[in-house]
Amino acid sequence: GKISKQQRQLLQEAFTSSERMVHLISDFLNVSRLQTGKFVVDRKQSDLAEVVKQEVANIKQIAQSHQVHIEYKQPARFPMLYLDEGKIRQVIMNFIDNAIYYAPDSTLIKVALSVEDGEAVLRVIDKGMGVPEEAQSKLFTKFFRAENARKQRPDGTGVGLFLAKKVIDGHDGEIVFESTLGKGSTFGFRLPIKKLSSPPPLNEDDVTS
């Protein structure tokens, strides 16, 4: 039946909290798998442009609660790639989620997907607090959080970016990162199209350590 505006808000907050818990558990399970050598990249054919579109839609409600608009223009054509879709989704979600929480004064987050020099490139661009220069070299290490990030979001875990790098490394890609303190950050990745356009060999060892 019909629900009131207040009921809808409370249900949405409960749903959002539940979704965050699911992602948090997934992050820590993957950290555990890394420590035991059981972190496997299982690549299957995926439509990355559609995956990005879905993740933007999934996090839209959280963005709206922070008065943030996410802009994503899906490419008309994009190559099909063999990816571990579940892990790539987690990476994309982490980048957008961070942009929402660490860009408190930003009303727009841009998500861009393109092909550059034979690579599939994703960028999540915000105009938020940025990362202090002295913290940037440690940003993708396990449990590390910059001081300004800890103040802005005390409940953060410091594993999202660590896992993102492991996932992208497992696809033979590279992390994209640029940041200026007080002006914003860009997080993303580059994936080799030629290598990921074919299925992995049956004997390929996709375990990363």
Side-chain angles (χ1 to χ4, degrees):
K2 293 182 179 181
I3 59 174
S4 68
K5 183 177 180 181
Q6 185 179 15
Q7 286 174 318
R8 182 176 297 279
Q9 181 180 350
L10 290 171
L11 287 169
Q12 185 58 53
E13 288 175 359
F15 175 75
T16 299
S17 296
S18 176
E19 286 289 285
R20 287 203 65 229
M21 185 61 70
V22 168
H23 292 306
L24 182 64
I25 292 169
S26 178
D27 279 349
F28 279 108
L29 283 173
N30 280 323
V31 169
S32 177
R33 293 183 184 112
L34 277 166
Q35 292 174 330
T36 58
K38 296 179 180 178
F39 184 76
V40 178
V41 174
D42 183 19
R43 298 196 288 120
K44 297 178 181 179
Q45 194 173 54
S46 302
D47 184 344
L48 183 58
E50 185 65 23
V51 167
V52 175
K53 176 185 176 182
Q54 292 170 3
E55 289 308 300
V56 168
N58 288 342
I59 207 167
K60 184 178 180 180
Q61 204 70 39
I62 295 175
Q64 288 178 342
S65 69
H66 288 262
Q67 288 79 52
V68 173
H69 174 69
I70 302 175
E71 179 184 282
Y72 171 61
K73 295 180 180 179
Q74 185 174 352
R77 294 182 180 180
F78 206 80
M80 296 293 288
L81 301 174
Y82 283 81
L83 309 170
D84 188 322
E85 189 173 305
K87 290 184 175 65
I88 289 292
R89 284 181 181 276
Q90 189 72 6
V91 171
I92 296 167
M93 189 281 297
N94 274 328
F95 286 159
I96 300 175
D97 187 64
N98 282 348
I100 292 170
Y101 280 91
Y102 297 131
D105 299 322
S106 179
T107 58
L108 176 66
I109 292 169
K110 293 185 179 181
V111 179
L113 183 65
S114 60
V115 174
E116 300 175 13
D117 300 322
E119 295 178 315
V121 183
L122 175 82
R123 292 185 178 90
V124 177
I125 306 164
D126 68 64
K127 298 296 182 184
M129 64 176 62
V131 181
E133 189 173 346
E134 64 273 13
Q136 293 185 12
S137 63
K138 302 176 184 177
L139 197 59
F140 293 89
T141 58
K142 186 166 55 175
F143 302 130
F144 177 80
R145 302 186 70 218
E147 184 177 351
N148 60 344
R150 291 197 301 270
K151 291 179 180 178
Q152 176 65 25
R153 193 178 187 183
D155 64 338
T157 63
V159 299
L161 293 181
F162 167 74
L163 285 171
K165 188 174 188 311
K166 292 295 184 181
V167 170
I168 299 307
D169 286 349
H171 287 81
D172 293 317
E174 295 181 355
I175 287 289
V176 171
F177 168 63
E178 298 174 7
S179 187
T180 302
L181 188 63
K183 295 186 178 181
S185 302
T186 297
F187 285 91
F189 53 72
R190 293 178 172 272
L191 298 176
I193 291 175
K194 184 176 181 180
K195 182 178 178 72
L196 298 180
S197 292
S198 303
L202 292 177
N203 62 347
E204 180 178 75
D205 181 9
D206 274 330
V207 178
T208 63
S209 58

